[in-house]
Structures are given as C-alpha cells and as structure tokens.
Amino acid sequence: MVKHRAYVCDACGYIYDPERGEPKNGIPPGTPFEDLPADYICPVCGRANVGKSGFRALEAASGRYRCLACGYIYDPERGEPKNGISPGTAFEDLPESYVCPVCGVYARVGKSAFVATE
C-alpha cells in the first residue's frame, strides 16, 4: 500500500489525510491530495478563493497523530508504555482495537479518529 502525504490548511490547520479521505464530501479513503478536484476547498474554513494552493504538505517524518476529538497526540517515539505500547511503535502498527487513552475510554474514540500531524 502506497502511503500518500497529508496536507495542512495554512489558514485553519485542518489536515487532509488521504488515508481517511472525506467520505462525507464524496472523497473516498486513499485519495491523494494531488487527485482532489481543482475546485477543492478546505471543508473547515472554506477559503474558496485560495483552494488547494492554501494547503502545504506535512513533513512525513514525525509519525505523530492527533485525536480529532480531544487533541491528544500519539507520538511513536514515546509510545504508551503504561498501556503496553513500546516506544518506537508506529501508529500504523497499533492494533485496530486501539482507543485514545484520553477520551477513548468514555467515547470509544479509536484509530479512525486520528489524523497525521506535524
């Protein structure tokens, strides 16, 4: 599976993660940013006058992911030893049953609610 780069809106910080896509907006998971329509605009701030040029590529090196619900950052360098996840464990290698250690206990917020971050 090819890993496509995520992009961040310079105006509001929204992160387009190609692995997630935007199914509610008709963009299926796995759609690279480059393949978005020319008239694509940020779904959060709607900067239509800027379009895709208002986004910049995220550096893929961090490997960190942010929970959309509470803002918790999963950092692979740190892992979650308290939860049995060793330092150095990539987000992609977490089990599908993984839940956010902050809000997941109550809301069952899982991996699908995380996006790549800087």
Side-chain angles (χ1 to χ4, degrees), residues 1 3-4 17 19 60 63-65 74 76 89-96 111 116:
M1 181 165 140
K3 182 79 173 162
H4 296 286
D17 183 348
E19 303 308 313
R64 297 176 351 152
Y65 280 73
Y74 175 80
T89 303
F91 185 81
E92 295 83 2
D93 294 334
L94 294 174
E96 288 305 312
K111 284 179 73 174

Side-chain angles (χ1 to χ4, degrees), residues 1-66:
M1 181 165 140
V2 175
K3 182 79 173 162
H4 296 286
R5 185 175 268 195
Y7 281 71
V8 62
C9 176
D10 286 327
C12 71
Y14 168 75
I15 296 173
Y16 174 77
D17 183 348
E19 303 308 313
R20 294 175 53 97
E22 292 176 5
K24 291 181 181 177
N25 294 324
I27 301 169
T31 303
F33 185 80
E34 297 78 13
D35 292 348
L36 293 176
D39 62 350
Y40 176 80
I41 60 172
C42 177
V44 174
C45 69
R47 292 181 61 200
N49 59 330
V50 177
K52 287 171 58 174
S53 67
F55 284 76
R56 63 182 163 79
L58 281 179
E59 294 303 319
S62 81
R64 297 176 351 152
Y65 280 73
R66 177 176 48 90

